[in-house]
Amino acid sequence: MVKTSNNLLWYSILFAILLGLGYSIILASQSIQYTWRWERIVPYLINTEPKPILSPYDGTVTVSANADAIMVSSDDGESAFEVKVFSQLEVEDGDQVFEGDVIASLSEWRLGPIANGLLMTLKISIVSLFFAVVIGLFVGLARISSNPILKHLSMLYVELVRGTPLLVQIFIFYFFIGTVLELDRFTAGAAALSVFAAAYVAEIIRSGIQSVPVGQMEAARSLGMTYVQAMVYIILPQAFKRTLPPMAGQFITLIKDSSLVSVISITDLTKAGREVVSGTFAPFEVWFTVALLYLLLTGSLSWLVNKLEKRMASSD
Amino acid sequence: MTNQYQGNDMIVAKNIDKYYPNGCHALKAVSATINRGEVVVVIGPSGSGKSTFLRTLNQLETITTGEIIVDGINMYASSTNINKLREEVGMVFQNFNLFPHMNVLENVMLAPMKVSKRKREDVEPLARKILCKVGLEARIDNYPSQLSGGQMQRVAIARALAMEPDVMLFDEPTSALDPEMVGEVLEVMKQLASDGMTMVVVTHEMGFAREVADRVLFMEDGQLLVDDTPESFFDNPSHPRLASFLSQVL
Ligand SMILES: Nc1ncnc2c1ncn2[C@@H]1O[C@H](COP(=O)(O)OP(=O)(O)OP(=O)(O)O)[C@@H](O)[C@H]1O
Ligand SMILES: [Mg+2]
């Protein structure tokens, strides 16, 4: 009984603190006379503005009987332009139109720059994540190999990558490696992110493999399995389970770190935010929205990993 | 997987020496022969090199000098495929080393399917038959964590048997077990011995040695001091070190 009433007290205090934090944000913005205009953000997320359909040349309009098609016949009689998909008719049958006149409009949902930025962030994160795991697996295996070349090369790789800032690595990839190999921005950015994250993934995989008891490898080898078979069937499946939580943390870091590729003009979520700020003069709303969208990505990843972990835990 | 070799000697160790990387001289000029169908028990104080000796026989440990011949094949010849050789030599560990992410049936079927590349429909009846023999037919869907120590060790024996080896190595198979589970594992091993399996067993179970062994070896400080029949080994110890060891443990 004492326990529950205590908990209730703590939760009410927690709630009060959160409320206070929210209120302080409002107060802070009032103190600098900031007017919130959240509605300005919407078109940058999803653009519902009707898209005008223009006449490609001077001509005469013919509208079909049930008004589901428009035809513009050019004055020189050589070509005809037909529109079947539209939502609002802007001309009448028999009208004369000039090149560039609006004949109809199409209202459809298009992604605004922020949504496109979100997609770019998602795309570069997924691509980098994939390569980070592939490279990281090989580097991690090389780290524990008994071959001195593999061992020391992989150690050097991990030290180099972990000892320099990601921002600098992105510049090196874009300006040096990108120039030498003629990489486009996206490839250079994704490569820099992959190589960076792979060093951390390699360390996670190495410690995951080393946390599997040596007896497992011995049992597998004593049955006649090759080193590779023992790794694939016995060691890695067990290591994978143990590496899942730190790996999830690394993936979340990767998503957040991907914001740095905006410095080489990749229009990711962060870059899109910067562009939209200069168009809307609503910096607070934009950056809060951007933050929320990052949170959405990282949050869904955590959720996914959590589910996976629960499923794997129940298998034994 | 059977070899053309028909000789009576299953394993021959000639003058083997083993230094660990840290300089520890674990085996000193050990020579021994294990004949087909024989049960050989290895006894000795802790740290005497029993495990090291056993593990050199399937090359979990490499030797520094000497020669090991398994089923007529020189283990260290450049033409020898150690993985093929290990298929002939089953091993059972003190700590079972079952694969925790697989159930009992999968533990037993994995090696025949992946190593010998046999089809599941051929392996499964064999695996079930062996599990039945070790008394675990009711446990095939369980994961190792759901089994008792004695059950785990019997699965480990079944897993090794599923490769249909010519010889089985046991490294203190009952040492990690609660006393009430020792019997069930020894029972399986006795059954195996009476089926004619060639076995090398490192153990502290003197009763098993006396009852089941054809020969008993005594090791101390990396040396093989005694190689004798169980009767004379226990009743007329031929070496003073063995006599003092037996007086301590019996
Ligand atoms: N991996 C290793 N590296 C270095 N020295 C080792 C290693 N394994 C064993 N030794 C040493 O080799 C010697 C023999 O060890 P071994 O494990 O073969 O003895 P054992 O007879 O099996 O003992 P126990 O009854 O305790 O299992 C010991 O002195 C031990 O310290
Ligand atoms: Mg031992």
Side-chain angles (χ1 to χ4, degrees):
Chain A
M1 277 323 253
V2 178
K3 191 101 188 147
T4 30
S5 66
N6 255 350
N7 264 347
L8 205 69
L9 177 70
W10 290 124
Y11 278 113
S12 2
I13 294 177
L14 174 69
F15 190 67
I17 291 174
L18 291 180
L19 220 63
L21 278 175
Y23 188 58
S24 68
I25 291 176
I26 297 174
L27 275 188
S29 62
Q30 272 173 358
S31 75
I32 52 166
Q33 267 115 45
Y34 191 85
T35 18
W36 295 89
R37 294 200 185 83
W38 285 102
E39 72 285 354
R40 283 196 183 177
I41 302 297
V42 177
Y44 292 93
L45 281 169
I46 289 162
N47 197 343
T48 50
E49 196 98 318
K51 191 170 100 188
I53 300 170
L54 309 177
S55 171
Y57 33 67
D58 301 354
T60 315
V61 175
T62 329
V63 179
S64 68
N66 49 357
D68 62 358
I70 318 167
M71 175 92 88
V72 182
S73 329
S74 68
D75 283 346
D76 55 20
E78 273 176 5
S79 37
F81 174 64
E82 198 180 14
V83 182
K84 279 190 169 151
V85 187
F86 59 91
S87 41
Q88 181 71 47
L89 194 60
E90 304 283 354
V91 288
E92 281 174 24
D93 194 43
D95 276 2
Q96 284 292 127
V97 291
F98 298 109
E99 183 181 338
D101 280 358
V102 178
I103 52 175
S105 61
L106 177 65
S107 57
E108 57 171 7
W109 283 33
R110 273 164 296 144
L111 296 178
I114 292 186
N116 275 322
L118 180 69
L119 285 184
M120 177 53 89
T121 290
L122 197 63
K123 186 171 142 197
I124 203 164
S125 299
I126 290 174
V127 170
S128 314
L129 208 135
F130 173 78
F131 285 105
V133 170
V134 173
I135 302 170
L137 182 60
F138 280 101
V139 176
L141 287 173
R143 274 287 263 118
I144 55 168
S145 124
S146 51
N147 181 322
I149 300 178
L150 288 178
K151 192 156 125 186
H152 286 104
L153 273 183
S154 58
M155 275 164 73
L156 184 70
Y157 170 84
V158 171
E159 289 310 317
L160 278 183
V161 169
R162 294 209 302 188
T164 51
L166 174 57
L167 195 56
V168 174
Q169 288 172 28
I170 290 174
F171 283 135
I172 292 177
F173 261 88
Y174 183 54
F175 290 111
F176 176 63
I177 300 174
T179 311
V180 173
L181 300 177
E182 292 176 17
L183 303 179
D184 61 70
R185 288 172 204 292
F186 181 83
T187 314
L193 281 177
S194 310
V195 164
F196 178 77
Y200 292 87
V201 169
E203 284 299 284
I204 292 171
I205 289 179
R206 178 189 61 81
S207 66
I209 290 174
Q210 286 178 339
S211 74
V212 177
V214 284
Q216 291 289 309
M217 179 55 102
E218 291 181 348
R221 296 305 302 274
S222 77
L223 288 164
M225 285 188 218
T226 63
Y227 179 81
V228 174
Q229 284 176 325
M231 269 292 165
V232 170
Y233 299 119
I234 307 302
I235 308 297
L236 288 179
Q238 294 181 58
F240 177 67
K241 201 183 269 189
R242 292 161 208 241
T243 55
L244 210 51
M247 205 66 107
Q250 191 53 48
F251 291 171
I252 286 169
T253 306
L254 176 65
I255 292 177
K256 294 184 294 179
D257 283 348
S258 75
S259 68
L260 287 175
V261 299
S262 61
V263 297
I264 53 171
S265 290
I266 294 174
T267 313
D268 73 330
L269 188 49
T270 303
K271 177 105 191 307
R274 223 154 39 191
E275 283 168 3
V276 170
V277 165
S278 55
T280 55
F281 303 106
F284 292 7
E285 293 87 334
V286 171
W287 290 124
F288 276 118
T289 308
V290 166
L292 209 71
L293 289 173
Y294 273 113
L295 210 57
L296 189 77
L297 288 186
T298 54
S300 17
L301 186 64
S302 300
W303 177 81
L304 217 80
V305 172
N306 230 313
K307 275 200 86 113
L308 193 61
E309 232 176 317
K310 287 227 178 76
R311 256 198 31 201
M312 292 183 58
S314 64
S315 85
D316 61 11
Chain B
M1 290 306 139
T2 40
N3 197 283
Q4 298 308 311
Y5 185 71
Q6 295 296 324
N8 192 40
D9 40 355
M10 185 67 231
I11 297 179
V12 182
K14 282 186 200 156
N15 227 354
I16 55 177
D17 265 65
K18 163 75 183 176
Y19 288 89
Y20 278 106
N22 65 359
C24 177
H25 195 178
L27 294 179
K28 297 170 184 164
V30 173
S31 295
T33 300
I34 318 292
N35 294 313
R36 277 180 210 279
E38 225 176 14
V39 176
V40 176
V41 168
V42 184
I43 282 172
S46 178
S48 57
K50 306 181 297 292
S51 298
T52 306
F53 172 62
L54 198 71
R55 290 157 59 87
T56 60
L57 301 182
N58 68 349
Q59 216 187 93
L60 281 185
E61 302 290 351
T62 53
I63 55 176
T64 313
T65 57
E67 217 173 51
I68 297 176
I69 296 157
V70 177
D71 206 11
I73 298 168
N74 187 332
M75 191 183 271
Y76 289 88
S78 57
S79 58
T80 301
N81 178 347
I82 187 61
N83 296 317
K84 275 267 161 284
L85 203 62
R86 281 179 179 146
E87 291 179 36
E88 311 288 325
V89 185
M91 186 165 214
V92 175
F93 300 85
Q94 182 173 349
N95 296 314
F96 330 129
N97 294 339
L98 291 182
F99 306 135
H101 58 303
M102 298 177 181
N103 68 25
V104 166
L105 191 63
E106 290 164 339
N107 261 279
V108 176
M109 297 204 309
L110 182 75
M113 284 170 61
K114 301 300 179 188
V115 177
S116 313
K117 312 270 188 240
R118 297 170 60 182
K119 288 204 202 69
R120 188 186 185 93
E121 41 298 8
D122 300 338
V123 176
E124 194 167 327
L126 170 74
R128 284 176 185 274
K129 197 180 99 199
I130 295 171
L131 282 167
C132 197
K133 206 160 136 189
V134 299
L136 286 170
E137 64 275 31
R139 292 295 197 157
I140 54 172
D141 292 326
N142 285 130
Y143 281 86
S145 59
Q146 298 164 325
L147 302 179
S148 72
Q151 290 169 332
M152 281 198 267
Q153 194 60 297
R154 285 184 284 151
V155 174
I157 294 172
R159 178 178 69 179
L161 288 176
M163 287 302 286
E164 303 182 307
D166 292 337
V167 52
M168 289 277 285
L169 311 177
F170 295 82
D171 191 359
E172 303 200 25
T174 56
S175 295
L177 298 178
D178 292 334
E180 72 270 21
M181 292 171 185
V182 170
E184 63 192 62
V185 171
L186 290 180
E187 208 44 58
V188 168
M189 291 169 63
K190 279 179 200 163
Q191 178 63 43
L192 206 54
S194 68
D195 288 350
M197 174 60 79
T198 312
M199 294 161 68
V200 185
V201 185
V202 173
T203 186
H204 295 297
E205 295 293 330
M206 300 301 167
F208 178 85
R210 204 187 260 278
E211 190 183 335
V212 183
D214 295 301
R215 273 160 49 219
V216 187
L217 313 186
F218 175 68
M219 288 187 74
E220 195 180 71
D221 192 27
Q223 287 169 301
L224 180 58
L225 295 183
V226 178
D227 179 344
D228 212 341
T229 61
E231 295 75 32
S232 105
F233 186 95
F234 289 108
D235 301 334
N236 298 302
S238 59
H239 197 285
R241 303 296 311 160
L242 173 58
S244 77
F245 175 74
L246 287 177
S247 70
Q248 282 164 27
V249 296
L250 291 179

